Amino acid sequence: MSGRARVRLLFVDCGLYHHEDVSIPGDALAGYERLIDCLREEPEVLLQLHVDVTRLCAAWLVDD
């Protein structure tokens, strides 16, 4: 996947849920079987955003 990929992140904090949409490099996804691994380990993604994985409940790709 080239270009940018939009990812929706669902967080929980003190029983309240909220989501954030982020954009990551599409090419970064190719090296990982799981999206969560890409968000936690890909250097190019880590330079652009920080994901609090202790509060992260789910993450999925969003179609444009």
Side-chain angles (χ1 to χ4, degrees):
M1 173 185 282
S2 61
R4 307 289 293 177
R6 195 167 63 146
V7 177
R8 179 157 294 156
L9 306 173
L10 179 65
F11 296 97
V12 64
D13 190 23
C14 298
L16 299 174
Y17 292 85
H18 68 278
H19 72 270
E20 297 287 333
D21 287 353
V22 297
S23 174
I24 64 171
D27 293 337
L29 294 170
Y32 298 90
E33 288 184 26
R34 301 182 323 159
L35 177 57
I36 188 70
D37 293 334
C38 179
L39 295 172
R40 293 175 65 184
E41 300 171 7
E42 175 60 40
E44 193 172 351
V45 173
L46 293 172
L47 285 173
Q48 298 175 15
L49 64 111
H50 168 77
V51 177
D52 185 353
V53 293
T54 61
R55 297 184 315 139
L56 183 65
C57 295
W60 63 93
L61 292 174
V62 178
D63 293 330
D64 288 331

